[in-house]
Protein backbone atom coordinates (compact mmCIF):
# COMPACT_ATOMS: atom_id res chain seq x y z
CA UNK A 1 0.00 0.00 0.00
CA UNK A 2 1.14 3.54 -0.71
CA UNK A 3 0.47 6.30 1.80
CA UNK A 4 0.92 10.00 1.18
CA UNK A 5 -0.23 13.38 2.39
CA UNK A 6 -1.42 16.25 0.24
CA UNK A 7 -1.96 19.22 2.55
CA UNK A 8 -4.78 18.25 4.88
CA UNK A 9 -5.73 15.19 2.83
CA UNK A 10 -4.32 11.73 3.51
CA UNK A 11 -4.23 9.37 0.53
CA UNK A 12 -3.94 5.59 0.67
CA UNK A 13 -3.47 3.61 -2.52
CA UNK A 14 -3.95 -0.16 -2.54
CA UNK A 15 -0.99 -1.42 -4.48
CA UNK A 16 -1.06 -5.12 -5.42
CA UNK A 17 -1.66 -4.64 -9.14
CA UNK A 18 -0.53 -8.15 -10.08
CA UNK A 19 -3.57 -9.60 -8.30
CA UNK A 20 -5.91 -6.65 -8.95
CA UNK A 21 -5.42 -5.36 -5.40
CA UNK A 22 -6.86 -8.54 -3.85
CA UNK A 23 -7.36 -7.73 -0.18
CA UNK A 24 -4.93 -9.97 1.68
CA UNK A 25 -4.92 -9.86 5.50
CA UNK A 26 -1.56 -8.04 5.35
CA UNK A 27 -2.97 -5.37 3.01
CA UNK A 28 -6.02 -4.86 5.21
CA UNK A 29 -3.81 -4.59 8.30
CA UNK A 30 -1.72 -1.92 6.56
CA UNK A 31 -4.87 -0.06 5.56
CA UNK A 32 -6.18 -0.11 9.13
CA UNK A 33 -2.85 1.19 10.42
CA UNK A 34 -2.71 3.98 7.85
CA UNK A 35 -6.24 5.13 8.64
CA UNK A 36 -5.58 4.95 12.39
CA UNK A 37 -2.51 7.16 11.87
CA UNK A 38 -4.59 9.66 9.84
CA UNK A 39 -7.24 9.63 12.55
CA UNK A 40 -4.66 10.44 15.19
CA UNK A 41 -3.07 13.25 13.15
CA UNK A 42 -4.90 16.58 13.59
CA UNK A 43 -3.24 17.90 10.42
CA UNK A 44 -5.17 15.32 8.38
CA UNK A 45 -8.81 16.32 8.01
CA UNK A 46 -10.04 14.00 5.27
CA UNK A 47 -8.74 10.97 3.38
CA UNK A 48 -8.94 9.34 -0.03
CA UNK A 49 -8.88 5.59 -0.50
CA UNK A 50 -8.07 4.36 -4.00
CA UNK A 51 -6.63 1.46 -5.92
CA UNK A 52 -5.08 3.73 -8.51
CA UNK A 53 -5.90 4.20 -12.20
CA UNK A 54 -6.83 0.64 -13.24
CA UNK A 55 -8.59 -1.28 -10.47
CA UNK A 56 -9.98 -0.56 -7.02
CA UNK A 57 -9.93 -4.11 -5.59
CA UNK A 58 -11.12 -7.48 -6.91
CA UNK A 59 -12.12 -8.70 -3.45
CA UNK A 60 -10.69 -10.75 -0.64
CA UNK A 61 -7.68 -12.82 -1.61
CA UNK A 62 -9.21 -16.08 -2.86
CA UNK A 63 -5.86 -17.90 -2.77
CA UNK A 64 -5.51 -17.04 0.90
CA UNK A 65 -9.08 -18.15 1.70
CA UNK A 66 -9.67 -21.25 -0.36
CA UNK A 67 -8.57 -23.91 2.12
CA UNK A 68 -9.75 -22.32 5.33
CA UNK A 69 -12.04 -24.04 7.80
CA UNK A 70 -14.84 -22.20 9.62
CA UNK A 71 -12.68 -22.25 12.74
CA UNK A 72 -9.79 -20.64 10.81
CA UNK A 73 -12.23 -17.97 9.65
CA UNK A 74 -13.57 -17.39 13.14
CA UNK A 75 -10.13 -17.18 14.71
CA UNK A 76 -8.77 -14.82 12.09
CA UNK A 77 -12.03 -12.86 12.07
CA UNK A 78 -10.68 -11.08 9.04
CA UNK A 79 -13.81 -9.16 8.10
CA UNK A 80 -14.60 -8.44 11.77
CA UNK A 81 -11.38 -6.43 11.80
CA UNK A 82 -12.81 -4.20 9.09
CA UNK A 83 -14.85 -2.52 11.84
CA UNK A 84 -11.69 -0.51 12.51
CA UNK A 85 -11.93 0.95 9.00
CA UNK A 86 -15.62 1.77 9.41
CA UNK A 87 -14.70 3.50 12.69
CA UNK A 88 -12.49 6.06 10.90
CA UNK A 89 -13.85 9.38 12.16
CA UNK A 90 -12.88 11.71 9.30
CA UNK A 91 -14.44 11.92 5.83
CA UNK A 92 -13.21 9.03 3.69
CA UNK A 93 -13.62 9.35 -0.07
CA UNK A 94 -13.34 6.27 -2.29
CA UNK A 95 -11.84 6.90 -5.72
CA UNK A 96 -12.89 3.84 -7.74
CA UNK A 97 -11.57 2.88 -11.15
CA UNK A 98 -12.16 -0.54 -12.69
CA UNK A 99 -13.32 -3.45 -10.57
CA UNK A 100 -14.67 -2.97 -7.05
CA UNK A 101 -15.76 -6.54 -6.45
CA UNK A 102 -16.57 -8.60 -3.37
CA UNK A 103 -14.60 -7.21 -0.45
CA UNK A 104 -13.41 -4.44 -2.79
CA UNK A 105 -16.97 -3.27 -3.28
CA UNK A 106 -17.68 -3.63 0.42
CA UNK A 107 -14.63 -1.49 1.15
CA UNK A 108 -15.94 1.23 -1.17
CA UNK A 109 -19.34 1.04 0.55
CA UNK A 110 -17.70 1.66 3.94
CA UNK A 111 -16.43 5.00 2.61
CA UNK A 112 -18.46 8.18 3.04
CA UNK A 113 -18.50 9.35 -0.58
CA UNK A 114 -17.64 7.51 -3.77
CA UNK A 115 -16.13 9.11 -6.86
CA UNK A 116 -16.28 6.56 -9.67
CA UNK A 117 -14.35 6.55 -12.89
CA UNK A 118 -16.43 5.66 -15.94
CA UNK A 119 -14.58 2.31 -15.98
CA UNK A 120 -15.79 1.36 -12.49
CA UNK A 121 -17.73 -1.86 -11.94
CA UNK A 122 -19.37 -2.61 -8.58
CA UNK A 123 -20.42 -6.10 -7.66
CA UNK A 124 -20.65 -8.98 -5.20
CA UNK A 125 -19.51 -12.08 -7.13
CA UNK A 126 -19.08 -14.21 -3.98
CA UNK A 127 -22.10 -16.31 -5.00
CA UNK A 128 -19.99 -17.62 -7.91
CA UNK A 129 -17.48 -18.95 -5.37
CA UNK A 130 -20.15 -20.75 -3.34
CA UNK A 131 -20.16 -18.17 -0.54
CA UNK A 132 -21.84 -14.86 0.30
CA UNK A 133 -20.30 -11.47 1.10
CA UNK A 134 -18.77 -11.33 4.56
CA UNK A 135 -17.91 -7.66 4.97
CA UNK A 136 -21.26 -5.95 4.56
CA UNK A 137 -22.40 -6.64 0.99
CA UNK A 138 -25.77 -8.12 1.95
CA UNK A 139 -26.38 -5.31 4.44
CA UNK A 140 -25.06 -2.09 2.89
CA UNK A 141 -26.48 -2.68 -0.61
CA UNK A 142 -30.13 -2.90 0.55
CA UNK A 143 -29.66 0.09 2.85
CA UNK A 144 -28.34 2.08 -0.11
CA UNK A 145 -30.26 0.91 -3.18
CA UNK A 146 -33.18 -1.09 -1.74
CA UNK A 147 -34.01 -4.78 -1.64
CA UNK A 148 -34.46 -5.63 -5.30
CA UNK A 149 -31.19 -4.34 -6.73
CA UNK A 150 -29.44 -5.74 -3.64
CA UNK A 151 -30.93 -9.16 -4.41
CA UNK A 152 -29.90 -8.89 -8.06
CA UNK A 153 -26.32 -8.06 -7.15
CA UNK A 154 -25.89 -10.48 -4.24
CA UNK A 155 -27.75 -13.44 -5.77
CA UNK A 156 -26.81 -12.92 -9.40
CA UNK A 157 -23.17 -11.99 -8.89
CA UNK A 158 -22.91 -9.76 -11.98
CA UNK A 159 -21.38 -6.30 -11.50
CA UNK A 160 -23.13 -3.04 -12.34
CA UNK A 161 -21.60 -0.15 -14.26
CA UNK A 162 -20.54 3.19 -12.79
CA UNK A 163 -23.41 4.89 -14.61
CA UNK A 164 -26.01 2.53 -13.15
CA UNK A 165 -24.43 2.89 -9.71
CA UNK A 166 -24.81 6.66 -10.09
CA UNK A 167 -28.47 6.34 -11.09
CA UNK A 168 -29.06 4.14 -8.03
CA UNK A 169 -27.41 6.63 -5.66
CA UNK A 170 -24.52 4.29 -4.88
CA UNK A 171 -21.88 6.77 -6.07
CA UNK A 172 -21.68 10.55 -5.84
CA UNK A 173 -20.04 11.30 -9.17
CA UNK A 174 -18.94 9.54 -12.34
CA UNK A 175 -15.92 11.11 -14.00
CA UNK A 176 -13.43 10.13 -16.73
CA UNK A 177 -11.23 7.37 -15.30
CA UNK A 178 -8.03 9.35 -15.76
CA UNK A 179 -9.18 12.08 -13.33
CA UNK A 180 -10.97 9.97 -10.70
CA UNK A 181 -8.23 10.20 -8.10
CA UNK A 182 -7.66 13.93 -8.71
CA UNK A 183 -11.37 14.68 -8.36
CA UNK A 184 -11.56 12.61 -5.17
CA UNK A 185 -8.57 14.55 -3.80
CA UNK A 186 -10.36 17.81 -4.65
CA UNK A 187 -13.57 16.64 -2.93
CA UNK A 188 -11.53 15.65 0.14
CA UNK A 189 -9.66 18.98 0.11
CA UNK A 190 -12.98 20.87 0.07
CA UNK A 191 -14.24 18.85 3.04
CA UNK A 192 -10.92 19.42 4.82
CA UNK A 193 -11.77 23.15 4.90
CA UNK A 194 -14.82 22.52 7.08
CA UNK A 195 -14.86 22.51 10.88
CA UNK A 196 -13.32 19.17 11.91
CA UNK A 197 -15.46 18.50 14.97
CA UNK A 198 -18.64 19.33 13.04
CA UNK A 199 -17.49 17.04 10.22
CA UNK A 200 -16.95 14.22 12.65
CA UNK A 201 -20.35 14.62 14.28
CA UNK A 202 -22.10 15.03 10.90
CA UNK A 203 -20.54 11.74 9.76
CA UNK A 204 -21.49 10.03 13.00
CA UNK A 205 -25.05 11.35 12.84
CA UNK A 206 -25.63 10.24 9.25
CA UNK A 207 -24.20 6.80 10.00
CA UNK A 208 -26.47 6.51 13.02
CA UNK A 209 -29.45 7.07 10.71
CA UNK A 210 -28.70 3.63 9.26
CA UNK A 211 -28.66 2.02 12.70
CA UNK A 212 -31.41 3.69 14.71
CA UNK A 213 -35.19 4.28 14.64
CA UNK A 214 -36.03 7.88 13.63
CA UNK A 215 -36.74 9.20 17.14
CA UNK A 216 -33.43 7.91 18.49
CA UNK A 217 -31.55 9.17 15.44
CA UNK A 218 -33.07 12.62 15.85
CA UNK A 219 -32.00 12.59 19.51
CA UNK A 220 -28.41 11.75 18.49
CA UNK A 221 -28.46 14.58 15.95
CA UNK A 222 -29.92 17.07 18.45
CA UNK A 223 -27.29 16.27 21.09
CA UNK A 224 -24.48 16.56 18.55
CA UNK A 225 -25.97 19.88 17.37
CA UNK A 226 -26.08 21.26 20.93
CA UNK A 227 -22.58 19.93 21.67
CA UNK A 228 -21.11 21.89 18.76
CA UNK A 229 -22.03 25.15 20.53
CA UNK A 230 -19.20 24.26 22.94
CA UNK A 231 -16.62 24.51 20.14
CA UNK A 232 -14.48 27.49 19.19
CA UNK A 233 -15.21 26.62 15.57
CA UNK A 234 -18.93 27.30 16.04
CA UNK A 235 -18.12 30.77 17.39
CA UNK A 236 -15.63 31.33 14.58
CA UNK A 237 -18.01 30.05 11.88
CA UNK A 238 -20.89 32.28 12.95
CA UNK A 239 -18.67 35.30 13.62
CA UNK A 240 -17.05 34.92 10.19
CA UNK A 241 -20.49 34.80 8.57
CA UNK A 242 -21.58 37.98 10.35
CA UNK A 243 -18.27 39.72 9.52
CA UNK A 244 -18.55 38.58 5.88
CA UNK A 245 -15.19 36.80 5.87
CA UNK A 246 -13.98 33.26 5.40
CA UNK A 247 -13.95 31.16 8.60
CA UNK A 248 -10.68 29.69 9.85
CA UNK A 249 -11.54 26.43 11.56
CA UNK A 250 -9.04 24.95 14.00
CA UNK A 251 -10.76 21.80 15.18
CA UNK A 252 -11.32 23.22 18.66
N1 LIG B 1 -8.05 -12.99 -5.08
C1 LIG B 1 -6.85 -13.45 -5.52
N2 LIG B 1 -6.37 -13.22 -6.75
C2 LIG B 1 -7.14 -12.54 -7.60
C3 LIG B 1 -8.40 -12.03 -7.23
C4 LIG B 1 -8.86 -12.29 -5.90
N3 LIG B 1 -10.04 -11.82 -5.43
N4 LIG B 1 -8.94 -11.39 -8.29
C5 LIG B 1 -8.03 -11.47 -9.29
N5 LIG B 1 -6.95 -12.16 -8.87
C6 LIG B 1 -5.74 -12.48 -9.65
C7 LIG B 1 -6.01 -13.55 -10.69
O1 LIG B 1 -5.94 -14.84 -10.12
C8 LIG B 1 -4.89 -13.27 -11.67
O2 LIG B 1 -3.70 -13.79 -11.14
P1 LIG B 1 -2.69 -14.62 -12.13
O3 LIG B 1 -2.25 -13.58 -13.15
O4 LIG B 1 -1.59 -15.07 -11.23
O5 LIG B 1 -3.49 -15.69 -12.76
C9 LIG B 1 -4.75 -11.76 -11.63
O6 LIG B 1 -5.36 -11.33 -10.40
C10 LIG B 1 -5.48 -11.07 -12.77
O7 LIG B 1 -6.83 -11.52 -12.78
P2 LIG B 1 -7.54 -12.13 -14.10
O8 LIG B 1 -6.55 -12.76 -14.99
O9 LIG B 1 -8.68 -12.97 -13.63
O10 LIG B 1 -8.07 -10.76 -14.75
P3 LIG B 1 -9.34 -10.58 -15.69
O11 LIG B 1 -9.26 -9.18 -16.17
O12 LIG B 1 -9.48 -11.68 -16.68
O13 LIG B 1 -10.62 -10.72 -14.70
C11 LIG B 1 -11.85 -10.27 -12.69
C12 LIG B 1 -10.80 -9.76 -13.69
C13 LIG B 1 -13.23 -10.38 -13.36
C14 LIG B 1 -11.91 -9.26 -11.55
C15 LIG B 1 -11.44 -11.66 -12.17
O14 LIG B 1 -10.08 -11.61 -11.74
C16 LIG B 1 -12.24 -12.15 -11.01
O15 LIG B 1 -13.36 -12.61 -11.19
N6 LIG B 1 -11.70 -12.06 -9.77
C17 LIG B 1 -12.34 -12.55 -8.59
C18 LIG B 1 -13.45 -11.61 -8.11
C19 LIG B 1 -14.15 -12.20 -6.89
O16 LIG B 1 -14.72 -13.28 -6.93
N7 LIG B 1 -14.14 -11.45 -5.74
C20 LIG B 1 -14.75 -11.86 -4.52
C21 LIG B 1 -13.74 -12.49 -3.59
S1 LIG B 1 -14.46 -13.17 -2.12
C22 LIG B 1 -14.73 -11.85 -1.10
O17 LIG B 1 -14.38 -10.72 -1.40
C23 LIG B 1 -15.37 -12.16 0.23
C24 LIG B 1 -15.73 -10.99 1.07
O18 LIG B 1 -16.87 -10.56 1.11
C25 LIG B 1 -14.75 -10.32 1.92
Amino acid sequence: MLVDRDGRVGVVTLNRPRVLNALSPALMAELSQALAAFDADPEVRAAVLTGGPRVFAAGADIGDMSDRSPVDQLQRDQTGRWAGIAAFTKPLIAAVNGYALGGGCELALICDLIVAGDSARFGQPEINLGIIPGAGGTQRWPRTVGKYVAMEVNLGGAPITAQRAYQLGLVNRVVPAEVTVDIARQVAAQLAEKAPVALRLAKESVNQALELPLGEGLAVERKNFYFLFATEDQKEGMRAFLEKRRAQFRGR
Side-chain angles (χ1 to χ4, degrees):
M1 216 183 62
L2 309 174
V3 182
D4 80 280
R5 270 271 305 279
D6 183 0
R8 291 169 164 172
V9 176
V11 181
V12 283
T13 306
L14 308 172
N15 189 33
R16 299 182 77 206
R18 204 185 53 74
V19 286
L20 308 183
N21 292 335
L23 302 169
S24 63
L27 183 62
M28 292 308 292
E30 277 185 56
L31 175 58
S32 295
Q33 281 163 16
L35 291 179
F38 287 159
D39 236 352
D41 182 349
E43 297 300 313
V44 174
R45 294 193 179 178
V48 170
L49 170 58
T50 185
R54 216 168 55 86
V55 63
F56 186 69
D61 193 320
I62 299 170
D64 179 69
M65 272 188 308
S66 60
D67 291 330
R68 283 197 207 151
S69 71
V71 175
D72 293 335
Q73 288 287 51
L74 185 69
Q75 285 176 343
R76 292 184 185 206
D77 194 22
Q78 198 173 315
T79 51
R81 295 179 204 281
W82 290 34
I85 296 165
F88 185 61
T89 64
K90 298 173 184 178
L92 182 59
I93 321 299
V96 179
N97 283 323
Y99 292 115
L101 298 181
C105 185
E106 292 165 304
L107 190 55
L109 295 187
I110 287 175
C111 295
D112 304 313
L113 284 85
I114 303 179
V115 177
D118 46 18
S119 65
R121 297 288 179 274
F122 297 85
Q124 302 293 157
E126 287 90 341
I127 200 80
N128 299 324
L129 301 170
I131 57 170
I132 65 170
T138 65
Q139 302 302 301
R140 290 201 171 92
W141 276 89
R143 281 169 169 77
T144 307
V145 302
K147 169 181 164 180
Y148 298 96
V149 175
M151 287 290 188
E152 176 188 328
V153 167
N154 280 278
L155 275 57
I160 64 168
T161 62
Q163 202 54 47
R164 180 146 184 242
Y166 178 72
Q167 286 159 0
L168 291 166
L170 191 85
V171 308
N172 298 85
R173 289 178 68 173
V174 181
V175 300
E178 57 276 16
V179 296
T180 313
V181 180
D182 289 341
I183 301 276
R185 282 173 181 256
Q186 284 168 23
V187 170
Q190 283 161 8
L191 295 182
E193 295 294 312
K194 313 284 184 203
V197 184
L199 273 180
R200 176 176 177 158
L201 295 185
K203 172 170 172 166
E204 179 191 300
S205 301
V206 173
N207 280 332
Q208 286 296 307
L210 302 173
E211 308 275 351
L212 297 173
L214 181 60
E216 289 175 35
L218 290 171
V220 167
E221 179 192 78
R222 208 160 44 238
K223 283 177 187 157
N224 284 339
F225 173 74
Y226 296 152
F227 175 88
L228 287 165
F229 285 76
T231 63
E232 292 173 17
D233 284 348
Q234 173 266 328
K235 302 288 178 281
E236 164 63 8
M238 293 194 180
R239 210 177 298 126
F241 174 81
L242 295 172
E243 293 170 3
K244 302 190 187 306
R245 62 176 173 79
R246 195 182 162 91
Q248 297 297 326
F249 294 121
R250 298 173 52 234
R252 298 268 168 207

